[in-house]
Amino acid sequence: MTMGCYPLSLRGHFLAGERPHFGPANPLWRYTPEYHEYAARLAGLLSAGEPVVRDALYLPIRDTWAGGPARERIARGHDELAEALLANQTDFDVVDDDVLVSPEGGAARGRLTIGPMSYETLWLPEVHWISDEALETIARFVRSGGRVNVVRSAESGGGERKLLDLLDARSRGRVRVLRSVGEAVKLASPLVRLDPKTPDIRVLVRRIGNDYAYFLTNEALQERTFTLDLPHHGTPLQFDAWAGRIRALETLAAPRGTTRVRLTLP
């Protein structure tokens, strides 16, 4: 639903000549209260508690600005890796040189920290122009026990070679160099498990006190039915953000300490 192009008046220059027109003349206008209530419910839940994000994805922005024949390949490789992680229900935050070397950035006890967030795994696509300072932050992260998964093309080898040169033999074992995105996602740690595998389902998680809120979105044009395994044991409740209703879900037999339900998303 487009929320722009609202005219100030029906007269003269106050009437915008833009489309789609959004105002009382639009048939969708009468449904805006329901839409705003839906958005408010989602916004409330999505801002509650704290995000559960274990992975960070490096953005090779310096390679983009450097230009050259490799620029499009590097950008495409980054996007393909991001898409593959999302299709594997692995949420991530994007980091770049600026945040890695900022006062809020750091590494300790196997965690890469950026402000209040911390990450167990860093995904590094093809990169050549990463700064030495950012590489040193990543090296400290690996030395402290963190994991780096490098996805390299046949032409790459700049950034990851410099990183390996900063590490001793023991630390290098926590850097995995992978030849393809398909090989890389096998190492991903999804936030939930779906059966069958359903790449159209996206997921993000919020921890609210002792509870967890899982947000699942179906990006396919058709409904999807699957079994959902949650890594926590408890009573699952389904929140319908459009209707504003909550109902208990029937659980299936599941491994100890987990919860399993059957879902159909339109």
Side-chain angles (χ1 to χ4, degrees), residues 15-161:
L15 179 60
E18 301 175 79
R19 293 188 179 226
H21 169 84
F22 198 76
N26 191 310
L28 295 176
W29 181 254
R30 68 180 67 183
Y31 303 109
T32 53
E34 288 85 353
Y35 177 79
H36 290 155
E37 290 171 1
Y38 164 74
R41 294 185 190 110
L42 282 180
L45 279 174
L46 285 168
S47 61
E50 57 187 16
V52 178
V53 184
R54 301 189 295 252
D55 296 67
L57 173 63
Y58 176 79
L59 175 67
I61 188 63
R62 288 164 61 92
D63 288 79
T64 300
W65 287 111
R71 180 175 63 177
E72 291 188 9
R73 184 186 70 243
I74 291 172
R76 184 170 59 251
H78 173 274
D79 292 349
E80 289 174 353
L81 178 55
E83 175 64 24
L85 290 172
L86 292 174
N88 197 58
Q89 290 77 53
T90 302
D91 196 13
F92 58 84
D93 285 338
V94 174
V95 301
D96 63 6
D97 294 69
D98 289 345
V99 296
L100 288 172
V101 304
S102 70
E104 291 78 20
R109 296 186 295 277
R111 293 276 183 168
L112 177 66
T113 58
I114 308 292
M117 300 298 295
S118 66
Y119 311 98
E120 302 171 0
T121 302
L122 173 66
W123 295 85
L124 194 66
E126 178 182 352
V127 57
H128 295 268
W129 292 99
I130 186 171
S131 68
D132 292 341
E133 295 82 3
L135 275 175
E136 181 53 43
T137 299
I138 297 173
R140 291 202 310 271
F141 167 58
V142 176
R143 294 188 200 108
S144 72
R147 298 187 300 270
V148 174
N149 294 328
V150 179
V151 183
R152 70 188 300 275
S153 69
E155 298 86 355
S156 69
E160 72 267 19
R161 281 203 299 265

Side-chain angles (χ1 to χ4, degrees), residues 76-259:
R76 184 170 59 251
H78 173 274
D79 292 349
E80 289 174 353
L81 178 55
E83 175 64 24
L85 290 172
L86 292 174
N88 197 58
Q89 290 77 53
T90 302
D91 196 13
F92 58 84
D93 285 338
V94 174
V95 301
D96 63 6
D97 294 69
D98 289 345
V99 296
L100 288 172
V101 304
S102 70
E104 291 78 20
R109 296 186 295 277
R111 293 276 183 168
L112 177 66
T113 58
I114 308 292
M117 300 298 295
S118 66
Y119 311 98
E120 302 171 0
T121 302
L122 173 66
W123 295 85
L124 194 66
E126 178 182 352
V127 57
H128 295 268
W129 292 99
I130 186 171
S131 68
D132 292 341
E133 295 82 3
L135 275 175
E136 181 53 43
T137 299
I138 297 173
R140 291 202 310 271
F141 167 58
V142 176
R143 294 188 200 108
S144 72
R147 298 187 300 270
V148 174
N149 294 328
V150 179
V151 183
R152 70 188 300 275
S153 69
E155 298 86 355
S156 69
E160 72 267 19
R161 281 203 299 265
K162 293 179 182 178
L163 174 61
L164 292 172
D165 289 341
L166 294 173
L167 301 172
D168 57 27
R170 182 176 181 180
S171 297
R172 288 175 186 173
R174 289 188 287 273
V175 178
R176 300 290 299 272
V177 180
L178 308 151
R179 301 291 179 177
S180 68
V181 169
E183 184 182 355
V185 295
K186 294 177 182 178
L187 298 178
S189 299
L191 294 168
V192 298
R193 302 281 180 178
L194 306 184
D195 185 25
K197 289 185 179 299
T198 314
D200 300 310
I201 302 300
R202 304 292 192 256
V203 61
L204 62 85
V205 184
R206 305 284 299 189
R207 181 169 48 241
I208 307 173
N210 294 324
D211 300 319
Y212 291 84
Y214 289 82
F215 296 84
L216 283 82
T217 304
N218 178 16
E219 294 194 352
L221 298 178
Q222 305 82 26
E223 71 175 21
R224 292 287 186 258
T225 299
F226 50 87
T227 298
L228 170 68
D229 281 4
L230 304 172
H232 311 283
H233 178 68
T235 302
L237 303 175
Q238 184 178 31
F239 176 57
D240 185 337
W242 181 257
R245 290 193 294 264
I246 298 176
R247 69 182 183 93
L249 290 174
E250 181 180 352
T251 58
L252 307 174
R256 186 179 180 86
T258 66
T259 301

